[in-house]
């Protein structure tokens, strides 16, 4: 990635989560467990959905793609963070920093759009059950996934197009464990107020649009569920609870970051950890452990492997 001749910063220094060696070892142990669990859990979901014909439905097709995005999100910064716990001078190249910014916003933007697609899937399944198989066909699911990736990448490129050409000529310390866009922009040798507004508008627009779409969808679905039979509503509510839980935990930190995007507090580092390290773990925990179809599929595959 090229940058202007004014940019003399060839690398950025990541200050990490703490200077305490004891705390860094503690964080390494905790986040290693979270990272490995997240990777295994999301890979397990993809394998189970791929291998079990009982899960050959639009909802699980979208869920497997959500797991794939979570695997990608787990790997854009977490492995480097774990290695950096044992490195005194934590640095990242200019190109590596821009790559982290691109990947993070691509994955987050894609996941937002995919959550909207999953809400639409539940809307059709509960509000128009007789037309579900006709509307939610494989072609539409592939279109949803393609659009989610296209929007995520376009959202990320729009950020990077401004950031990559900023003049970085002095301070190069990023007070985080990865290249967080607002913190990197602050290091530019120019008045960044206009850039900050563009960044806030860009990210806030996609976040608010997706959140409002999800809010409207689940409100309509919950009203519809209230008028269904107790047996049908019980199963629907169980599924909806999982979806709504993921939405709240995903958009909670996101909304916080965009309300105070350029005024950083100490708690922000740990919210960043939750967003980048812990969020990918939500998918296998919320959707798998509380989903009877997935649990039944795990039992079938376990029995099949045992007999084999």
């Amino acid at each position: 990635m090229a940058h202007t001749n004014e940019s003399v910063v060839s690398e950025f220094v990541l200050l990490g989560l703490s200077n305490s060696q004891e705390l860094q070892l503690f964080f390494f142990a905790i986040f290693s467990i979270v990272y490995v669990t997240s990777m295994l859990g999301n890979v397990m979901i993809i394998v189970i959905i791929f291998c079990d014909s009982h899960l050959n439905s639009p909802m699980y097709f979208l869920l497997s793609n959500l797991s794939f995005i979570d695997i990608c999100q787990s790997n854009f910064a977490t492995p480097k963070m774990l290695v950096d716990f044992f490195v005194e001078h934590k640095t990242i190249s200019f190109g590596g920093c821009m790559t982290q910014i691109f990947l993070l916003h691509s994955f987050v933007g894609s996941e937002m759009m995919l959550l909207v697609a999953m809400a639409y899937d539940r809307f059709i399944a509960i509000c128009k059950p007789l037309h579900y198989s006709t509307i939610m066909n494989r072609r539409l699911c592939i279109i949803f996934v393609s659009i989610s990736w296209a929007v995520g990448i376009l959202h990320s490129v729009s950020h990077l197009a401004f950031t990559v050409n900023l003049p970085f000529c002095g301070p190069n310390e990023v007070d985080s464990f990865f290249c967080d866009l607002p913190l990197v922009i602050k290091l530019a040798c120019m008045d960044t107020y206009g850039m900050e507004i563009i960044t806030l508008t860009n990210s806030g627009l996609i976040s608010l649009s997706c959140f409002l779409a999800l809010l409207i969808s689940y409100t309509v679905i919950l009203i519809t569920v209230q008028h269904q039979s107790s047996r049908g509503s019980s199963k629907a509510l169980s599924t909806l609870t999982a979806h709504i839980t993921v939405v709240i935990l995903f958009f909670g930190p996101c909304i916080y970051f965009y309300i105070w995007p350029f005024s950083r507090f100490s708690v922000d580092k740990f919210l960043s950890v939750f967003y980048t390290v812990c969020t990918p773990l939500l998918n296998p925990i919320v959707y798998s452990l509380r989903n009877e179809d997935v649990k039944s599929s795990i039992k079938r595959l376990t029995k099949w492997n045992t007999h084999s």
Side-chain angles (χ1 to χ4, degrees), residues 1 15 52 54 57-58 109 124 132 152 162 178 182 197 206 222-223 240 251 271 294:
M1 298 179 183
L15 299 184
D52 194 337
H54 294 87
S57 69
I124 299 298
Y132 180 73
F162 294 100
F178 70 99
I197 296 299
I206 185 174
L222 287 171
I223 293 172
L240 284 177
F251 279 91
L271 280 174
V294 173

Side-chain angles (χ1 to χ4, degrees), residues 2 36 56 78 92 125 169 172 190 213 215 235 241 245 266 270 300:
V36 172
N56 187 23
T78 306
I92 184 170
C169 55
N172 67 338
M190 59 175 286
L215 188 64
K235 184 175 181 181
T241 302
T245 300
S266 58
F270 298 95
R300 282 194 297 269

Side-chain angles (χ1 to χ4, degrees), residues 91-139:
T91 61
I92 184 170
S93 67
F94 183 92
C97 185
M98 295 300 112
T99 300
Q100 279 194 344
I101 292 173
F102 172 77
L103 292 177
L104 173 62
H105 287 272
S106 293
F107 300 147
V108 172
S110 299
E111 186 156 348
M112 286 182 184
M113 294 301 297
L114 199 56
L115 288 172
V116 173
M118 294 176 72
Y120 179 77
D121 170 77
R122 290 301 86 202
F123 172 80
I124 299 298
I126 294 172
C127 300
K128 297 183 178 181
L130 298 179
H131 303 283
Y132 180 73
S133 58
T134 304
I135 297 174
M136 289 302 298
N137 52 51
R138 181 53 65 96
R139 179 174 175 271

Side-chain angles (χ1 to χ4, degrees), residues 14 26 48 62 130 151 175 210 232:
L14 303 175
F26 173 75
I48 288 172
L62 295 174
L130 298 179
V151 170
D175 190 15
C210 291

Side-chain angles (χ1 to χ4, degrees), residues 38-110:
S38 173
M39 289 294 294
L40 292 177
N42 282 295
V43 169
M44 180 191 71
I45 289 178
I46 293 174
V47 171
I48 288 172
I49 293 174
F50 180 78
C51 295
D52 194 337
S53 59
H54 294 87
L55 301 181
N56 187 23
S57 69
M59 184 180 82
Y60 291 109
F61 175 78
L62 295 174
L63 179 57
S64 65
N65 280 276
L66 184 64
S67 287
F68 177 73
I69 292 177
D70 283 337
I71 290 172
C72 295
Q73 190 172 329
S74 292
N75 285 284
F76 93 95
T78 306
K80 176 171 173 53
M81 177 189 70
L82 295 175
V83 172
D84 281 348
F85 282 132
F86 299 96
V87 177
E88 184 176 354
H89 192 60
K90 306 170 179 59
T91 61
I92 184 170
S93 67
F94 183 92
C97 185
M98 295 300 112
T99 300
Q100 279 194 344
I101 292 173
F102 172 77
L103 292 177
L104 173 62
H105 287 272
S106 293
F107 300 147
V108 172
S110 299

